[in-house]
């Protein structure tokens, strides 16, 4: 597992991984979209609109997962002096931002027909909006400093401060009254979703994950090269 | 204690302090963070006429009445208290008796709530429409699913 902390090893392993991951993401997306649109049933209350879930929920999960990965790498980079953590932070922040944006846009499109509104300022929606802004600030800090050593430390510290938002996003629907419904899938209880609707959800989650990894590999390799050439 | 471990400890401690600070703020402002009040919370507190607020709960069964094509009267309940609501406008698709809803508006007097916006709230259960028919046919349809 050294390739997760060592740029040279990462380069070698990712050369083998990139194509399979890309092919897998294409297969999973084709299969997932087929299931989402044709092979899954209408919801008993929401009808066909429930299919927005198969985009909305995977992107929300991956927005949080990407931030969690950045948080772990920031701790590793600052505490254990692992510079690869800084590379990861720079490379994956835009990917997480896009996942968050997809989650917000698909959520709005779902909210309008179901709730009767595009957007409300309840705790869940607001905390996800903050997550998006935090991602944007991480990207902007990455673009703004001239001194790379100072920049990457500021980025890592800011990511750690922003990670406070993660439990708030997750538990907002339990802690406060929100228009957004509570979690369907949690480890403690049986999921309140039918297996026929769970299947496309899981496939789409892995599809999002694979496309995320594929783009991350490209971005991380670019970042490694640009550091070697001292471009940034 | 190694330097790495000291740094790790410092980072984790800082995170815990920041998190508790934020949670303390949120806990003490929870009434403003919450998107709506429940009918029983309203019943316990003093009603201020014409103050804009939001109430959330279920649309009480057999309480929905159409006055005209775009004017409705119904009750919002949380099974402990209920509030009479009037609304002029278009109701969202999911709005029906027994379904969750959030109402935005103000009390016009101490027991009538004038809604300006109605949002339907849906729960975390997802089920194929065909299963509902099967359950109804066999008599196993649980009213709790709504």
């Amino acid at each position: 597992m050294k390739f997760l902390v060592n740029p040279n090893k990462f380069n070698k392993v990712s050369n083998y991984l990139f194509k399979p991951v890309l092919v897998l993401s294409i297969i999973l997306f084709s299969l997932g979209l087929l299931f989402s649109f044709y092979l899954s049933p209408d919801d008993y209350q929401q009808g066909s609109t429930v299919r927005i879930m198969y985009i909305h929920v995977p992107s929300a999960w991956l927005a949080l997962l990407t931030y969690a990965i950045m948080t772990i790498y920031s701790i590793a980079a600052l505490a254990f002096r692992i510079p690869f953590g800084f590379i990861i932070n720079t490379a994956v922040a835009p990917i997480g931002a896009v996942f968050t944006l997809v989650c917000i846009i698909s959520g709005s499109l779902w909210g309008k027909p179901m709730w009767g509104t595009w957007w409300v300022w309840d705790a869940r929606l607001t905390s996800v909006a903050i997550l998006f802004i935090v991602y944007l600030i991480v990207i902007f800090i990455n673009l703004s400093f001239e001194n790379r050593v100072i920049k990457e430390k500021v980025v890592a510290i800011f990511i750690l401060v922003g990670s406070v938002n993660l439990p708030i996003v997750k538990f907002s629907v339990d802690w406060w009254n929100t228009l957004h419904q509570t979690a369907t899938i949690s480890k403690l209880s049986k999921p309140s979703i039918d297996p026929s609707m769970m299947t496309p959800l899981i496939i789409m989650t892995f599809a999002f994950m694979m496309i995320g990894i594929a783009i991350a590999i490209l971005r991380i390799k670019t970042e490694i090269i640009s550091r070697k050439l001292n471009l940034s | 204690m190694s330097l790495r471990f000291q740094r790790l400890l410092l980072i984790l401690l800082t995170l815990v302090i920041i998190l508790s600070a934020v949670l303390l703020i949120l806990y003490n402002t929870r009434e403003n963070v919450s998107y709506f009040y429940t009918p029983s919370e309203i019943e316990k507190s003093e009603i201020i006429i014409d103050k804009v607020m939001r109430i959330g709960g279920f649309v009480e069964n057999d309480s929905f009445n159409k006055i005209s094509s775009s004017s409705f009267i119904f009750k919002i309940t949380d099974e402990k208290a209920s509030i009479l609501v009037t609304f002029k406008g278009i109701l969202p698709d999911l709005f029906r008796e027994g379904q969750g809803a959030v109402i935005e508006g103000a009390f016009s007097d101490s027991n009538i709530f004038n809604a300006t916006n109605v949002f339907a709230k849906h729960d975390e259960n997802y089920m194929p429409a065909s299963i509902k028919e099967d359950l109804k046919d066999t008599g196993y349809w649980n009213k709790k699913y709504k």
Side-chain angles (χ1 to χ4, degrees):
Chain A
M1 298 304 274
K2 270 259 169 84
F3 75 99
L4 289 174
V5 289
N6 181 322
N8 292 327
K9 293 233 166 65
F10 179 87
N11 262 337
K12 270 183 205 146
V13 174
S14 66
N15 282 342
Y16 292 109
L17 277 182
F18 182 69
K19 270 184 190 162
V21 167
L22 198 63
V23 169
L24 197 60
S25 86
I26 293 168
I27 295 171
L28 285 173
F29 262 115
S30 327
L31 201 65
L33 289 173
L34 186 72
F35 264 94
S36 305
F37 284 108
Y38 298 106
L39 302 176
S40 69
D42 282 358
D43 185 59
Y44 73 120
Q45 279 200 330
Q46 306 193 25
S48 209
T49 321
V50 75
R51 296 172 208 280
I52 298 174
M53 173 173 70
Y54 307 132
I55 300 287
H56 178 71
V57 174
S59 57
W61 281 343
L62 284 171
L64 293 177
L65 182 67
T66 309
Y67 202 94
I69 290 170
M70 281 168 35
T71 307
I72 292 166
Y73 270 109
S74 295
I75 294 174
L78 290 174
F80 303 113
R81 294 283 188 270
I82 297 170
F84 192 57
F86 297 128
I87 297 176
I88 296 277
N89 285 344
T90 314
V92 305
I95 302 173
V98 169
F99 280 138
T100 317
L101 194 63
V102 169
C103 164
I104 290 172
I105 292 172
S106 60
S108 290
L109 294 173
W110 197 3
K112 186 60 183 168
M114 285 304 114
W115 296 343
T117 176
W118 300 104
W119 185 266
V120 292
W121 292 102
D122 81 350
R124 171 55 76 80
L125 278 65
T126 308
S127 57
V128 173
I130 292 171
L131 180 68
F132 182 60
I133 293 166
V134 168
Y135 269 125
L136 288 188
I137 295 174
V138 171
I139 296 169
F140 290 154
I141 301 176
N142 260 320
L143 294 172
S144 57
F145 277 82
E146 277 182 16
N147 184 327
R148 200 190 75 201
V149 180
I150 296 175
K151 177 197 81 178
E152 51 194 23
K153 273 192 185 160
V154 172
V155 168
I157 292 169
F158 185 79
I159 289 171
L160 288 180
V161 174
S163 71
V164 169
N165 192 30
L166 286 189
I168 297 174
V169 171
K170 174 76 185 87
F171 295 111
S172 52
V173 289
D174 303 317
W175 290 344
W176 301 287
N177 295 330
T178 53
L179 187 59
H180 195 285
Q181 68 278 14
T182 49
T184 298
I185 296 157
S186 60
K187 273 183 187 153
L188 294 174
S189 57
K190 202 169 151 277
S192 43
I193 180 169
D194 192 81
S196 61
M197 295 157 118
M198 185 83 139
T199 315
L201 189 59
I202 298 295
I203 298 174
M204 285 300 275
T205 304
F206 279 107
F208 270 67
M209 217 179 260
M210 288 305 136
I211 196 75
I213 291 172
I215 298 169
I217 287 175
L218 287 179
R219 289 189 54 87
I220 293 165
K221 286 175 91 171
T222 314
E223 185 65 23
I224 293 171
I225 292 168
S226 81
R227 275 168 195 243
K228 272 185 187 154
L229 298 174
N230 236 337
L231 291 176
S232 63
Chain B
M1 218 193 298
S2 75
L3 200 59
R4 292 169 153 204
F5 187 68
Q6 279 181 23
R7 281 197 296 255
L8 180 67
L9 212 62
L10 194 68
I11 289 170
L12 293 181
L13 206 65
T14 315
L15 276 184
V16 169
I17 290 169
I18 298 174
L19 186 65
S20 29
V22 171
L23 287 183
L24 267 177
I25 295 171
L26 289 172
Y27 181 75
N28 285 297
T29 54
R30 62 192 178 283
E31 289 198 352
N32 293 321
V33 177
S34 272
Y35 191 61
F36 56 80
Y37 300 104
T38 59
S40 45
E41 280 168 353
I42 300 243
E43 200 171 61
K44 272 184 230 153
S45 59
E46 205 181 327
I47 289 169
I48 303 163
I49 309 267
D50 286 339
K51 193 196 172 209
V52 176
M53 59 167 93
R54 282 178 291 257
I55 301 173
F58 295 100
V59 183
E60 198 171 299
N61 285 324
D62 307 321
S63 76
F64 183 77
N65 278 303
K66 224 174 174 177
I67 299 168
S68 69
S69 61
S70 67
S71 164
F72 312 96
I73 189 160
F74 52 88
K75 278 181 180 165
I76 288 289
T77 180
D78 59 356
E79 287 173 351
K80 287 174 212 130
S82 68
I83 286 167
L84 195 66
V85 180
T86 62
F87 175 64
K88 272 198 183 99
I90 299 162
L91 291 168
D93 284 0
L94 265 187
F95 185 91
R96 63 193 75 140
E97 286 179 352
Q99 179 74 35
V102 176
I103 319 291
E104 193 173 55
F107 279 97
S108 59
D109 64 56
S110 62
N111 50 25
I112 294 178
F113 190 82
N114 265 331
T116 51
N117 276 310
V118 173
F119 307 123
K121 190 168 159 38
H122 66 80
D123 58 20
E124 68 278 21
N125 297 305
Y126 299 95
M127 195 196 302
S130 57
I131 289 190
K132 184 185 177 184
E133 296 308 313
D134 289 350
L135 285 173
K136 269 188 173 166
D137 289 347
T138 50
Y140 278 107
W141 178 248
N142 186 340
K143 280 276 159 60
K144 253 181 18 197
Y145 292 138
K146 277 154 265 160

